[in-house]
Amino acid sequence: MLRFRIPMAVILSLHFVQGAWAQERPEVVLTDEARALHASTLLFDGHNDLPWAFRELGMPPFSKVDIAKPQPKLHTDIPRLKKGGVKAQFWSVFVPASTRLRGESLQITLEQIDFVHRMVKRYPDTFQLCLNSSDIDQALKDGKIASLIGMEGGHSIENSINVLRQLYDRGARYMTLTHSATLDWADSATDEAKHGGLTEFGEEIVREMNRLGMLVDLSHVSDDTMRDAMRVTRAPVIYSHSSARAIGN
């Protein structure tokens, strides 16, 4: 099971807010004290869409798009991960919610998971696939970036708890309950609410995630889905990439 000692881990999710507030904010000046704190912290990035960015490029081989070298057309490469002091990275195996309408969600999710496995194998001196906290500890001792897999959207399991278990077996260690669309068992924050939160099946999904040791991620979900998940879960939840509502609603 995936267990985190909260004092050791910081889940970092940076979002830049558009508009007047972002334009007027003063320049950020880093102090030596801040740099030292940053360097000493077990810094997790909760959500990175590099697998989907490769898919949008046509899934080129790493020999053609080598992330060991600077890749200015991408948001992520190994030099920037190291410069940023990232110690552990959740790689998002995102697939659009629209894939559920074509029955392709599971297939593409598996392809995204396969990309992460291939990337870790391609860069063994930098990345180490981690399935539990002991793996993370070992990756840090080895000087590698702990690499974990997160699913963005419950549509990936295609309404099947059995599929959820299979994706866990393939390495998925969190699942965002919804993405942009309301599902048969959970309401999204950006779609019409149909259930008032989680259905009974949705609650069963949360309980099974608890049993497996898969983190329940509440980014993208409706307020009622959030509240239902908090009521049902028996393990800590995360918001892998969410802003403060008062700043970015």
Side-chain angles (χ1 to χ4, degrees):
M1 295 180 70
L2 185 61
R3 303 184 190 278
F4 292 104
R5 296 178 291 280
I6 299 301
M8 289 181 59
V10 175
I11 301 294
L12 178 69
S13 187
L14 295 178
H15 288 264
F16 295 93
V17 180
Q18 302 300 316
W21 182 86
Q23 294 171 3
E24 295 172 3
R25 70 179 183 179
E27 181 181 356
V28 176
V29 179
L30 290 178
T31 65
D32 290 340
E33 183 181 9
R35 289 190 178 90
L37 177 63
H38 181 83
S40 66
T41 300
L42 176 52
L43 181 65
F44 278 70
D45 184 333
H47 187 90
N48 189 313
D49 280 313
L50 184 66
W52 188 257
F54 261 75
R55 192 176 186 93
E56 288 188 317
L57 292 175
M59 207 56 87
F62 292 112
S63 59
K64 184 175 181 180
V65 180
D66 184 1
I67 60 171
K69 303 174 182 177
Q71 295 295 333
K73 293 184 179 180
L74 297 173
H75 290 167
T76 300
D77 52 48
I78 290 173
R80 279 182 285 180
L81 286 170
K82 291 182 176 180
K83 184 178 180 180
V86 175
K87 304 293 197 307
Q89 176 69 74
F90 269 103
W91 302 103
S92 172
V93 291
F94 163 76
V95 304
S98 59
T99 58
R100 77 194 194 286
L101 304 176
R102 303 187 297 274
E104 297 175 344
S105 297
L106 176 57
Q107 173 193 329
I108 299 176
T109 300
L110 288 169
E111 291 170 359
Q112 295 290 88
I113 290 174
D114 180 69
F115 171 88
V116 176
H117 284 276
R118 288 188 292 107
M119 179 178 67
V120 170
K121 289 180 180 179
R122 175 65 175 77
Y123 301 100
D125 293 335
T126 299
F127 301 127
Q128 182 170 317
L129 185 67
C130 295
L131 303 177
N132 52 51
S133 59
S134 296
D135 290 347
I136 296 170
D137 290 339
Q138 187 61 53
L140 296 174
K141 290 178 182 177
D142 294 341
K144 299 179 182 180
I145 297 173
S147 293
L148 303 98
I149 295 172
M151 294 187 291
E152 188 177 20
H155 53 281
S156 288
I157 69 171
E158 297 187 346
N159 292 339
S160 171
I161 287 183
N162 181 268
V163 168
L164 175 70
R165 297 182 189 119
Q166 292 179 60
L167 291 170
Y168 176 86
D169 288 342
R170 287 292 292 150
R173 288 301 181 267
Y174 80 60
M175 183 172 74
T176 318
L177 297 185
T178 71
H179 189 243
S180 59
T182 288
L183 306 179
D184 291 338
W185 49 273
D187 290 332
S188 167
T190 51
D191 196 6
E192 179 185 357
K194 298 179 180 178
H195 316 295
L198 290 174
T199 66
E200 289 185 8
F201 180 71
E203 293 183 3
E204 189 177 353
I205 290 290
V206 170
R207 293 188 186 98
E208 181 63 11
M209 292 173 71
N210 286 171
R211 188 192 71 80
L212 290 169
M214 182 184 289
L215 291 165
V216 176
D217 178 24
L218 297 180
S219 290
H220 287 292
V221 305
S222 73
D223 290 359
D224 287 332
T225 297
M226 173 193 69
R227 294 186 185 102
D228 283 350
M230 295 280 236
R231 171 177 52 81
V232 172
T233 187
R234 294 297 177 264
V237 301
I238 64 168
Y239 293 79
S240 66
H241 59 299
S242 293
S243 300
R245 175 169 288 177
I247 297 174
N249 190 16

